[in-house]
Amino acid sequence: MTSTGVRASFRRAMATSLPLLSRPRRNRRNATIRGFCRETHVGPEHFIYPLFIHEAEEDVPIGAMPGCSRLGSAGLLAEVDRARRLGVNAIVLFPAIDESRKSSAGEEAHNPQGLIPATIRRLKDKWPDLVVVTDVALDPYSSDGHDGIVAPDGRVLNDETVEVLCRQAVCQARAGADIVSPSDMMDGRVEAIRRALDEEGFAEVSILSYTAKYASAYYGPFREALDSAPRHGDKKTYQMDPGNVREALREVELDEVEGADMVMVKPAGPYLDVIRAVREATTLPVAAYQVSGEYAMLKAAAANGWLDERRAALESLVAIRRAGADVILTYYACQVAEWLEG
Ligand code: PBG
């Protein structure tokens, strides 16, 4: 019935005191019927689980991200094993790199013996079918804490950075990464990485592009986790302005022609309108990243007894899916999968 029709029937019912013809509550009256009507689902098959790793053996908890640690190799294997048992079969790795290995051009990012390639090999050895996603950006390796190379005058250099990113992506693919995921926001990096991968024989490795990544305060806990905050300045000359949505669509158009396999919006919760706009602008799968700050807020409220964590976390993820995300990167992946198992 049209909304005019609904209004007319309501007015008629009021005028004649006939029973209402249309009662939406009938579809909500018990769990089974609500199940018929549920439009959006969320489950472990939608998740990519971000994990922090470091060279040390012990696991070190991250202050603002309760439940997350910088993992040593044993801790990582245990956590991946747990994720797989819960049906979460995709992870994305973020490395905390020793200060002594950082440099202004981030050479460690493409060291074949580096932490990330060595870890990928170990994981793929044990679980060939695990989907391993890697982050392509220089910030964990940069002595300046930026995603790209910083010139003496403070500018973040685009094309010079893209060359290093290509080497980083190829190095990750060679180690066995299934999906490389550029989070740096340099112009033209998707096409350059696609060509570099193809030239090296990695035509089957996918690119999940951080297409619309905003210059957000919600990355704070992540930067603490990796000790990767910019040493000076901010990331506003490459990450997007939080007020913009048309610009996100421009980035989508570019990533499509440059050969991205999936596009991402980040952060997720505060940018549901952007997820929706991107969903409508492309036929590619859309990912969204529920970032460290979104996770920290839920955890903090829950720890204070101010929110029911289980319900609030699930609601936040259903909302991201409803907005149009196919895939969600979330630190809640395992916990939610556990809750859903009951
Ligand atoms: C950096 C990167 C960041 C995150 C993922 N990759 C931080 C940043 O851009 O400073 C943030 C993820 C999170 O906050 O959970 N390449």
Side-chain angles (χ1 to χ4, degrees):
M1 204 186 296
T2 63
S3 66
T4 332
V6 172
R7 271 199 303 278
S9 120
F10 184 78
R11 266 200 310 273
R12 197 166 48 243
M14 295 312 284
T16 61
S17 57
L18 284 171
L20 286 174
L21 294 177
S22 199
R23 290 180 181 272
R25 288 185 55 195
R26 276 195 288 265
N27 284 344
R28 303 179 198 135
R29 75 181 181 281
N30 67 45
T32 306
I33 292 173
R34 286 195 295 276
F36 299 154
C37 305
R38 189 159 303 123
E39 299 170 36
T40 307
H41 294 86
V42 67
E45 69 275 24
H46 302 122
F47 297 150
I48 297 176
Y49 187 28
L51 292 167
F52 300 104
I53 56 174
H54 63 178
E55 277 175 29
E57 252 319 306
E58 74 281 10
D59 303 339
V60 180
I62 298 162
M65 301 178 71
C68 300
S69 298
R70 293 182 182 191
L71 300 167
S73 61
L76 175 69
L77 292 183
E79 194 59 17
V80 174
D81 190 48
R82 169 176 173 236
R84 284 168 57 89
R85 284 173 202 279
L86 290 163
V88 177
N89 194 39
I91 58 158
V92 56
L93 295 172
F94 293 103
I97 298 295
D98 197 80
E99 206 56 41
S100 66
R101 294 192 207 282
K102 297 187 183 182
S103 61
S104 74
E107 282 89 356
E108 180 64 15
H110 48 84
N111 171 7
Q113 308 311 325
L115 178 60
I116 288 286
T119 304
I120 299 171
R121 284 190 293 267
R122 199 171 311 121
L123 290 170
K124 286 301 236 182
D125 233 29
K126 196 163 161 68
W127 296 295
D129 68 323
L130 174 73
V131 172
V132 176
V133 184
T134 51
D135 194 62
V136 181
L138 300 188
D139 51 321
Y141 309 96
S142 154
S143 43
D144 300 299
H146 275 284
D147 291 29
I149 301 171
V150 183
D153 64 2
R155 283 177 311 132
V156 174
L157 301 173
N158 196 88
D159 300 8
E160 293 81 346
T161 298
V162 170
E163 274 179 41
V164 185
L165 298 176
C166 287
R167 277 191 236 160
Q168 182 182 20
V170 166
C171 170
Q172 295 168 343
R174 191 164 282 130
D178 300 279
I179 302 179
V180 298
S181 194
S183 69
D184 56 287
M185 290 300 279
M186 297 300 119
D187 293 331
R189 90 280 208 209
V190 171
E191 176 171 357
I193 291 171
R194 183 70 272 157
R195 290 189 191 285
L197 290 172
D198 290 0
E199 262 166 39
E200 296 291 325
F202 299 112
E204 286 186 12
V205 171
S206 315
I207 300 179
L208 163 56
S209 174
Y210 286 64
T211 300
K213 176 173 178 180
Y214 288 86
S216 172
Y218 290 88
Y219 308 149
F222 175 98
R223 292 180 189 171
E224 177 213 311
L226 295 190
D227 191 20
S228 66
R231 305 291 188 257
H232 42 78
D234 52 42
K235 299 193 175 184
K236 290 179 186 169
T237 68
Y238 45 106
Q239 299 182 349
M240 286 174 44
D241 189 299
N244 294 354
V245 63
R246 288 196 309 269
E247 193 180 352
L249 301 183
R250 183 169 179 221
E251 292 281 3
V252 170
E253 245 174 71
L254 287 169
D255 278 357
E256 280 192 328
V257 298
E258 290 185 32
D261 298 285
M262 299 177 208
V263 294
M264 192 198 300
V265 175
K266 175 186 175 186
Y271 293 83
L272 296 181
D273 58 323
V274 181
I275 297 174
R276 169 54 42 193
V278 168
R279 169 71 292 151
E280 283 168 9
T282 183
T283 56
L284 291 175
V286 175
Y289 198 144
Q290 182 178 55
V291 299
S292 56
E294 299 176 72
Y295 178 81
M297 289 195 303
L298 286 164
K299 283 284 175 189
N304 276 292
W306 296 338
L307 275 182
D308 177 332
E309 182 180 16
R310 179 174 170 153
R311 291 185 51 214
L314 271 165
E315 188 175 329
S316 73
L317 294 165
V318 163
I320 293 165
R321 292 262 307 140
R322 191 194 62 233
D326 301 289
V327 186
I328 307 175
L329 291 82
T330 175
Y331 303 99
Y332 266 114
C334 280
Q335 224 178 326
V336 163
E338 241 160 34
W339 288 331
L340 292 174
E341 275 190 353

